[in-house]
Amino acid sequence: MTFHMKLKSSIAAALMLGATGFGFTTQANADAVDDIAKVGAINVGIFSDFPPFSSASADMSIKGYDIDVAQAIADSLKVKLNLVSVTGQNRIPYLTDKRVDILMSVGYSKEREQVIDFAAAYAPYYIAVIGPAALAVKGKEDLADKSIAVNRGTLEDTSLTEAAPASSDIRRFDNYNAVIQAFISGQTQLMVVGNDVGAQVLAKQDALQPEQKFQLLTSPSHIGLNKNEDRLKQAVNDAVAKMLADGKLDESSKAWLKTPLNPDNLKD
């Protein structure tokens, strides 16, 4: 084989290799949005028993604040919504293993950010002081001389202990049911719980007319997704922004959290 023939063969092989490499690169660049569109469904990881964000309704379908938002994201991508039940222990592996495309109700932390990415905050999570409408409480100073139920050893307990005046009567209980019972039975004048627990009380105690007095701590929920999924992150952010702009997020807050949505509660 002459030098020129060898050169031609080498060039042809390089072109074939380049074409193969280009094909591989194109395939590797396919992202979650492409995969979702191809399947025609988005897999969304949810806590299946996490009222009022997601739980079984009377007809046994899963409904709640998270489901409203997940459906809006699916609609924006023009695909079917497929809900996947996850736990606190397995949900991050489910995401990184691509068994789900996104996760609902993920609190931001620097540790989690090393493993997954976060879309914009979409759901308020805060610790609130709740009391009957007839009781005047507007701020921390009004907790003086008041009896307050709280779940022992929780973030609620820590936040209340830091905020309450020395004369406050903080009564600690071992679970949320005991906290709620102490409040609605009149053992305590107030209770301090997260807005997820508080929503259930606000919805059911018409005679007591409980209301949120003020917030002790705010830490909104985000939608988690895998790293380097910029198109999916933008799609999720756009869907949430649209719900915020057209009032649908406020409607969901009123329906499930029993209070209007305060956009300030979506700030980290």
Side-chain angles (χ1 to χ4, degrees):
M1 181 179 289
T2 66
F3 172 77
H4 290 293
M5 291 178 66
K6 288 180 179 179
L7 181 61
K8 287 181 180 179
S9 297
S10 298
I11 292 172
L15 289 173
M16 289 180 66
L17 181 60
T20 303
F22 179 78
F24 175 79
T25 302
T26 301
Q27 184 177 3
N29 284 341
D31 64 8
V33 172
D34 294 327
D35 295 337
I36 290 166
K38 184 177 180 180
V39 175
I42 182 169
N43 295 321
V44 178
I46 60 158
F47 294 127
S48 56
D49 188 19
F50 186 43
F53 293 97
S54 53
S55 59
S57 62
D59 63 3
M60 298 310 293
S61 63
I62 303 295
K63 293 180 180 176
Y65 187 100
D66 278 2
I67 311 308
D68 288 353
V69 176
Q71 187 63 64
I73 294 169
D75 291 344
S76 71
L77 293 169
K78 299 179 180 179
V79 296
K80 178 184 175 184
L81 173 62
N82 182 32
L83 299 174
V84 180
S85 180
V86 297
T87 67
Q89 290 72 39
N90 70 22
R91 62 178 180 160
I92 300 298
Y94 266 43
L95 178 63
T96 55
D97 291 344
K98 298 187 176 181
R99 298 175 67 173
V100 297
D101 300 300
I102 60 175
L103 293 171
M104 308 301 293
S105 289
V106 184
Y108 171 82
S109 72
K110 290 182 178 179
E111 293 76 18
R112 284 176 176 164
E113 193 178 33
Q114 295 178 18
V115 181
I116 66 173
D117 199 1
F118 295 85
Y122 76 99
Y125 178 78
Y126 50 85
I127 294 170
V129 176
I130 293 178
L135 185 64
V137 174
K138 296 182 178 180
K140 299 175 185 178
E141 64 281 357
D142 294 325
L143 299 178
D145 302 317
K146 302 292 192 305
S147 56
I148 313 160
V150 70
N151 195 352
R152 187 192 318 275
T154 61
L155 184 58
E156 293 99 311
D157 188 357
T158 303
S159 300
L160 175 61
T161 301
E162 291 177 355
S167 64
S168 299
D169 179 14
I170 300 176
R171 302 182 187 179
R172 296 173 175 87
F173 297 87
D174 292 330
N175 55 65
Y176 288 112
N177 285 334
V179 170
I180 293 169
Q181 286 303 314
F183 171 62
I184 65 177
S185 67
Q187 294 179 53
T188 63
Q189 296 165 283
L190 302 165
M191 71 174 184
V192 170
V193 293
N195 63 309
D196 52 344
V197 176
Q200 301 175 57
V201 178
L202 295 178
K204 296 178 181 178
Q205 298 299 320
D206 292 336
L208 190 61
Q209 293 186 312
E211 63 181 13
Q212 293 179 8
K213 299 299 185 179
F214 66 94
Q215 296 174 21
L216 290 173
L217 178 147
T218 299
S219 179
S221 293
H222 292 256
I223 295 170
L225 65 160
N226 279 312
K227 295 278 192 182
N228 303 314
E229 294 292 355
D230 294 338
R231 287 178 63 206
L232 181 57
K233 183 175 181 177
Q234 188 62 55
V236 169
N237 285 344
D238 288 348
V240 172
K242 183 176 184 298
M243 290 188 77
L244 190 58
D246 65 17
K248 294 294 179 61
L249 212 55
D250 183 55
E251 290 177 13
S252 289
S253 181
K254 291 174 180 174
W256 299 108
L257 306 181
K258 306 305 177 185
T259 185
L261 179 67
N262 181 353
D264 288 342
N265 288 332
L266 299 183
K267 297 176 182 178
D268 286 300

